[in-house]
Amino acid sequence: MTAKILDGKLVARQIREELRDDVADFIQNNGEVPTLATVLVGEDPASEVYVRNKVRGCEQVGMQSRGFRLPADASQDDLLSLIAKLNRSKDEPIHGILVQLPLPKHIDAARVLQAVSPMKDVDGFHPDNVGRMVQGRPRYLPCTPFGIQQLLVRSGIEIPGRHVVVVGRSDTVGKPMALLLMQRGAEGDATVTVCHSKTPDLAAFTRQAEILVVAIGQPRFVTPDMVRPGAVVVDVGIHRTESGLVGDVDSAVNEVAGHITPVPGGVGPMTVTMLLVNTLAAARQQQ
Ligand code: NDP
């Protein structure tokens, strides 16, 4: 068996086309262009690429972006005052604020993310927005899990009643992924198991998954013997290696899985697209 591809690039393109019309309507009705502020601290090459993709995404759907950069040795207070300024922004509208992670070690990322106004928190990381997601009344959903959920739904993958195993429990991917898929409703209603680095006999859990989401940050970690034949496999990992980009899932899993997300071209384009969706939602909320 060779797995069918869950084509994140294609689905992302479809959502961006819909978004372009919605953005044009918003501009016509409100006389304002939805605007995303990107904040980059330091010169991490991967972060530069991610920010560039987000800026390009804004252009594609007719939104604006404003780039703000601080040097790697900027203090936490410098960053907090920039965020305070963007929260207030009155003269030029800023509807969404994206602080690119990771931040340099001397900066407390949780403190910074909490400083972003919940109304402009298009990454969905502010405790207010996390709490709303937990309670099933979301404002903005975290982009990577939101993107994965939409990729599954739009690819015709049935979620309700399925056993989902999420490997990884980060605040940005694994934990919100589990929460989203266990929510009541047609895009959730899954039975969810969460595994992490302290889970003994991980493969005993992953082999039970009808939908397996892997977000651990370990290149090619999940091998065919860990996957139930026919399972839907979502590979969140991205690693630059000498042989190109690889995920957390070994390519041999293609022979066992029923569906799989490619790396690149799976989860990545969906993540950026959901940031655009959230930015338009933020612009609407602020009218
Ligand atoms: P983190 O490092 O924040 O979290 C990793 C999680 O995986 C932790 O919960 C950790 O467990 C768990 N883990 C690590 N090793 C193992 C193991 N051997 N067995 C079981 N669990 C393990 O990573 P992120 O969630 O931020 O990212 C995961 C991957 O996804 C990375 O490769 C990242 O680059 C990629 N990514 C891709 C995105 C995209 O758009 N495509 C977006 C965001 C991330 P514990 O909690 O016990 O330490």
Side-chain angles (χ1 to χ4, degrees):
M1 181 185 351
T2 301
K4 293 199 181 88
I5 295 297
L6 293 173
D7 191 341
K9 231 166 143 177
L10 178 77
V11 174
R13 200 179 314 131
Q14 289 164 353
I15 297 176
R16 287 184 198 198
E17 273 162 22
E18 295 163 14
L19 206 49
R20 200 164 31 214
D21 293 341
D22 293 344
V23 169
D25 284 349
F26 179 88
I27 296 170
Q28 197 169 23
N29 295 335
N30 300 287
E32 219 171 62
V33 183
T35 302
L36 174 71
T38 62
V39 178
L40 183 56
V41 184
E43 279 153 22
D44 174 52
S47 293
E48 305 247 3
V49 172
Y50 294 142
V51 169
R52 215 176 306 136
N53 286 341
K54 291 166 187 175
V55 168
R56 202 174 302 143
C58 285
E59 287 164 5
Q60 278 176 5
V61 300
M63 303 197 303
Q64 288 184 141
S65 61
R66 297 259 179 275
F68 297 85
R69 295 193 72 131
L70 291 176
D73 61 356
S75 69
Q76 180 164 302
D77 283 346
D78 292 340
L79 180 53
L80 289 173
S81 25
L82 171 60
I83 289 171
K85 198 179 92 187
L86 298 174
N87 282 341
R88 283 191 308 268
S89 74
K90 284 274 182 284
D91 333 331
E92 56 164 357
I94 300 273
H95 302 104
I97 301 172
L98 166 106
V99 181
Q100 184 62 47
L101 300 177
L103 290 168
K105 294 255 178 312
H106 65 279
I107 295 180
D108 176 354
R111 171 91 180 76
V112 168
L113 296 177
Q114 194 166 344
V116 174
S117 156
M119 297 302 289
K120 299 190 177 188
D121 167 42
V122 287
D123 255 337
F125 294 157
H126 190 284
D128 274 19
N129 289 324
V130 175
R132 294 183 70 103
M133 171 185 63
V134 171
Q135 294 184 346
R137 46 192 194 105
R139 181 182 287 127
Y140 312 123
L141 293 171
C143 300
T144 299
F146 187 19
I148 292 169
Q149 185 184 38
Q150 290 309 305
L151 178 59
L152 294 174
V153 168
R154 287 182 178 243
S155 305
I157 303 292
E158 185 73 9
I159 301 172
R162 312 285 295 276
H163 183 194
V164 175
V165 176
V166 179
V167 191
R169 58 174 165 183
S170 67
D171 288 344
T172 47
V173 187
K175 216 183 273 174
M177 182 80 267
L179 281 161
L180 279 190
L181 297 181
M182 63 173 264
Q183 291 295 341
R184 290 194 177 87
E187 300 187 352
D189 276 343
T191 301
V192 181
T193 300
V194 181
C195 302
H196 45 75
S197 70
K198 307 294 186 291
T199 302
D201 195 4
L202 180 65
F205 292 94
T206 57
R207 272 198 296 267
Q208 293 176 40
E210 295 174 282
I211 301 176
L212 177 64
V213 181
V214 188
I216 58 175
Q218 310 277 349
R220 302 190 181 105
F221 183 88
V222 171
T223 44
D225 55 305
M226 298 171 75
V227 176
R228 168 181 173 146
V232 175
V233 178
V234 177
D235 186 356
V236 185
I238 315 177
H239 310 276
R240 286 177 176 74
T241 68
E242 281 171 7
S243 50
L245 285 182
V246 301
D248 287 346
V249 176
D250 193 286
S251 57
V253 168
N254 274 294
E255 302 307 319
V256 181
H259 293 81
I260 195 163
T261 58
V263 177
V267 175
M270 293 300 297
T271 297
V272 179
T273 300
M274 300 334 277
L275 177 73
L276 307 175
V277 168
N278 283 348
T279 303
L280 176 60
R284 284 178 172 149
Q285 295 238 3
Q286 287 161 56
Q287 284 308 307

